[in-house]
């Protein structure tokens, strides 16, 4: 069995690793703290948009595709050499591929999955944003962006060591595919993990 994990070096020093926790996201990520809240209105429906920072000094496992848990980089504190470097350029993930892993109802998550209608509203809104506001969005390293309507939340987690740029259309299609693969009757949600193991993911979950 082969497992591939991408590690990015900063100034010839191993970069800080971002740990997303197990397949079930309760809370959103390790040490999650809301850093911004806003709303967007699409076709008369209000979508809540929340950005969380994650604790980058946590050791955890990150499921990658069907290969099973892969140890995340253990970090004991901020890397002074890394902090003195110039910021890395944003990574463009538009069109990037990923592999879906579903959350079973027996994994400790909420008992009820989000409703299909609420999830469809979020997916449709993300697709509409590409036409009405901007084709892309940015998420800082070690942050999660969460879009919520009613019982359903979709997230984009950036576990890279630099800002990630993604296209709303890519996000919407990946979210739709993950929802179609994972939601009722058995699962409570699911994630689509980067095919190259680089640390980003898009997924669906019950609204927190």
């Amino acid at each position: 069995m082969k497992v591939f994990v991408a590690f990015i070096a900063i100034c010839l020093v191993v970069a800080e690793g971002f740990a997303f926790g197990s397949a079930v996201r309760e809370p959103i990520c390790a040490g999650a703290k809301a850093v911004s809240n806003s709303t967007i209105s699409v076709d008369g429906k209000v979508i809540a948009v929340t950005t969380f920072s994650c604790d980058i000094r946590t050791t955890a496992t990150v499921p990658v595709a069907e290969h099973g848990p892969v140890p995340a980089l253990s970090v004991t504190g901020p890397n002074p050499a890394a902090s003195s470097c110039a910021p890395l350029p944003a990574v463009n993930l538009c069109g990037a591929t990923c592999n879906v892993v579903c959350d079973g109802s027996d994994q400790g998550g909420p008992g009820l999955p989000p409703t299909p209608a609420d999830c469809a509203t979020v997916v449709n809104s993300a697709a509409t944003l590409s036409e009405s506001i901007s084709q892309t969005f940015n998420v800082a390293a070690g942050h999660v962006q969460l879009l919520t309507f009613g019982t359903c939340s979709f997230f984009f987690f950036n576990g890279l060591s630099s800002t990630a740029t993604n296209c709303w259309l890519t996000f919407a299609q990946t979210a739709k595919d993950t929802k179609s693969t994972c939601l009722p009757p058995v699962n409570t949600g699911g994630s689509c993990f980067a095919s190259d193991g680089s640390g980003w993911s898009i997924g669906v979950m019950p609204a927190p």
Side-chain angles (χ1 to χ4, degrees):
M1 178 177 68
K2 295 182 179 179
V3 178
F4 300 95
V5 182
F7 294 102
I8 300 176
I10 302 179
C11 291
L12 303 181
V13 182
V14 176
E16 295 171 325
F18 301 115
F20 189 58
S22 61
V24 175
R25 295 154 302 278
E26 261 317 302
I28 304 301
C29 61
K33 295 180 181 178
V35 295
S36 68
N37 292 280
S38 61
T39 58
I40 53 177
S41 180
V42 179
D43 295 331
K45 295 182 178 179
V46 178
I47 312 298
V49 181
T50 307
T51 301
F52 295 87
S53 64
C54 301
D55 186 356
I56 63 174
R57 292 174 290 181
T58 302
T59 300
T61 56
V62 181
V64 179
E66 71 277 7
H67 302 301
V70 176
L73 185 63
S74 177
V75 180
T76 57
N79 188 328
S83 62
S84 64
C85 300
L88 293 174
V91 177
N92 190 330
L93 298 177
C94 293
T97 61
C98 56
N99 300 283
V100 175
V101 177
C102 298
D103 301 340
S105 58
D106 60 345
Q107 291 181 279
L112 295 176
T115 63
D118 288 348
C119 290
T121 295
V122 180
V123 170
N124 294 338
S125 297
T128 302
L129 288 174
S130 178
E131 302 173 358
S132 60
I133 298 179
S134 174
Q135 292 185 345
T136 62
F137 63 95
N138 296 320
V139 176
H143 285 66
V144 174
Q145 182 163 288
L146 192 74
L147 278 69
T148 302
F149 180 80
T151 63
C152 186
S153 291
F154 284 94
F155 64 84
F156 173 79
F157 169 69
N158 179 11
L160 305 175
S161 296
S162 60
T163 296
T165 298
N166 207 345
C167 291
W168 282 114
L169 286 179
T170 298
F171 176 85
Q173 185 60 54
T174 303
K176 181 179 179 181
D177 292 344
T178 304
K179 174 183 72 70
S180 298
T181 300
C182 292
L183 285 189
V186 178
N187 306 300
T188 57
S191 303
C192 198
F193 294 96
S195 297
D196 60 3
S198 57
W200 61 268
S201 60
I202 291 173
V204 58
M205 60 183 282

